[in-house]
C-alpha cells in the first residue's frame, strides 16, 4: 500500500464525504484530482482534514481548492437519500454508490489510474460500478486517509457543500437545523414537524437515524 509520502509524488484522486453523521442535510461526496504541482498549492493553502478546520474557514477555502484542482461533488439531498436508503438499506453501500458517482464524473474530466479514500466499505462495489461504465482505476482505502492532501482537499469540498446546503434548508424552513445528532437536533426536528407536518421531515432529514423515533414520539 502506498504511503502518504509515496502518494505525494503521484497524480491521484482523493475522495471523502460529509454529512454521514448529520441528521439534517445532505450526504455529500467529493472527489479531487491532485498532481505533485497542485499538491504544493494545497500545502500553501494549509489544506488539512476538514475536521481540524472551523466551518467558516472551510467555506472560505473551498473556492480556492476548486480553482486549483479538477473536482467532482455529488450531493444527495435528504429526499433522494431517503429514497435510496429505502432501496439499499445499508449506509456503506449508499456511500459506495456515491463514491462511484463522484469518481465517474471526475474521470470524465481527467485521466487518472489511482484513487485514495478512507476505509469504510467494500471497494469492489465501487470498482464494479465504475467498470460497468467502462472506467478503470485502482482504489486504495486506508484509515486516516485525510493525511493525504488529496483526500483532505476532498473533505473540505464535501464539508463546504454540506454546510451551504444545510444553511439553505434552514432558510427555507425559517428554522435553524443544527449539525450532528443531539438533543438540539431532536428539538429542531420536533419544530419542523409541528410547523410543517411529518412529511416535511423527509425533505430535510435522514429518516433512518434513531433521532426520527425521538422526534415523532415527542411531536
Amino acid at each position: 500500500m502506498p504511503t502518504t509520502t509515496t502518494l505525494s509524488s503521484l497524480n491521484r484522486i482523493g475522495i471523502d464525504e460529509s454529512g454521514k453523521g448529520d441528521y439534517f442535510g445532505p450526504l455529500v461526496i467529493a472527489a479531487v484530482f491532485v498532481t505533485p504541482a497542485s499538491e504544493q498549492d494545497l500545502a500553501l493553502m494549509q489544506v488539512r482534514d476538514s475536521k481540524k478546520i472551523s466551518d467558516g474557514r472551510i467555506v472560505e477555502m473551498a473556492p480556492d481548492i476548486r480553482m486549483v484542482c479538477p473536482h467532482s461533488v455529488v450531493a444527495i439531498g435528504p429526499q433522494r437519500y431517503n429514497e435510496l436508503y429505502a432501496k439499499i438499506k445499508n449506509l456503506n453501500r449508499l456511500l459506495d454508490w456515491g463514491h462511484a458517482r463522484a469518481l465517474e464524473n471526475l474521470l470524465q474530466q481527467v485521466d487518472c489510474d489511482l484513487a485514495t479514500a478512507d476505509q469504510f466499505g467494500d471497494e469492489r462495489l465501487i470498482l464494479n460500478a465504475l467498470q460497468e461504465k467502462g472506467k478503470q482505476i485502482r482504489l486504495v482505502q486506508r484509515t486516516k486517509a485525510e493525511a493525504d492532501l488529496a483526500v483532505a482537499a476532498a473533505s473540505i469540498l464535501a464539508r463546504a457543500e454540506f454546510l451551504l446546503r444545510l444553511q439553505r434548508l434552514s432558510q427555507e424552513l425559517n428554522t435553524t437545523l443544527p449539525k450532528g445528532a443531539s438533543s438540539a437536533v431532536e428539538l429542531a426536528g420536533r419544530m419542523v414537524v409541528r410547523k410543517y407536518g411529518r412529511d416535511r421531515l423527509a425533505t430535510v432529514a435522514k429518516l433512518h437515524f434513531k433521532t426520527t423515533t425521538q422526534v415523532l414520539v415527542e411531536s
Side-chain angles (χ1 to χ4, degrees):
M1 180 180 293
T3 64
T4 303
T5 304
T6 306
L7 285 170
S8 66
S9 64
L10 300 172
N11 290 356
R12 66 207 183 276
I13 292 171
I15 322 164
D16 205 8
E17 75 282 330
S18 184
K20 180 175 65 175
D22 295 274
Y23 181 60
F24 292 119
L27 174 67
V28 182
I29 300 97
V32 176
F33 176 67
V34 172
T35 66
S38 62
E39 175 144 12
Q40 293 179 26
D41 293 330
L42 295 177
L44 288 172
M45 293 178 201
Q46 297 186 321
V47 166
R48 55 201 184 279
D49 182 0
S50 63
K51 298 182 189 68
K52 299 177 180 178
I53 310 173
S54 70
D55 288 346
R57 183 66 186 131
I58 284 170
V59 173
E60 290 173 355
M61 293 175 76
D64 292 337
I65 295 171
R66 289 195 290 264
M67 193 180 300
V68 168
C69 300
H71 58 277
S72 164
V73 177
V74 172
I76 307 169
Q79 197 155 7
R80 178 62 173 152
Y81 178 99
N82 290 324
E83 291 169 0
L84 288 169
Y85 194 90
K87 294 177 185 175
I88 298 172
K89 299 189 188 306
N90 182 286
L91 179 56
N92 279 347
R93 286 191 59 199
L94 204 159
L95 280 167
D96 291 333
W97 179 86
H99 276 61
R101 282 284 305 278
L103 265 175
E104 177 195 341
N105 292 346
L106 187 49
L107 288 171
Q108 292 173 359
Q109 304 175 46
V110 301
D111 184 18
C112 185
D113 59 8
L114 174 64
T116 181
D118 218 9
Q119 187 80 47
F120 69 87
D122 188 346
E123 67 186 53
R124 291 172 299 178
L125 294 173
I126 301 175
L127 297 175
N128 289 344
L130 287 170
Q131 287 163 5
E132 288 174 9
K133 303 285 187 178
K135 306 292 184 183
Q136 300 286 334
I137 196 163
R138 181 165 62 100
L139 176 64
V140 176
Q141 285 189 305
R142 49 205 296 244
T143 56
K144 298 183 179 177
E146 293 87 352
D148 174 11
L149 283 186
V151 178
S155 77
I156 291 171
L157 291 195
R159 191 63 178 171
E161 186 69 18
F162 169 82
L163 291 169
L164 291 171
R165 285 174 177 258
L166 183 66
Q167 181 183 43
R168 199 177 304 152
L169 287 172
S170 294
Q171 290 168 347
E172 287 174 10
L173 295 179
N174 198 27
T175 300
T176 299
L177 300 176
K179 300 182 289 291
S182 62
S183 56
V185 170
E186 290 176 16
L187 175 60
R190 292 197 295 275
M191 295 303 295
V192 170
V193 173
R194 287 170 188 167
K195 289 168 73 174
Y196 301 102
R198 292 190 175 199
D199 290 346
R200 192 72 167 96
L201 194 63
T203 68
V204 296
K206 303 175 182 76
L207 295 183
H208 69 90
F209 277 44
K210 293 178 181 177
T211 307
T212 300
T213 303
Q214 294 300 116
V215 167
L216 296 180
V217 162
E218 299 182 29
S219 297

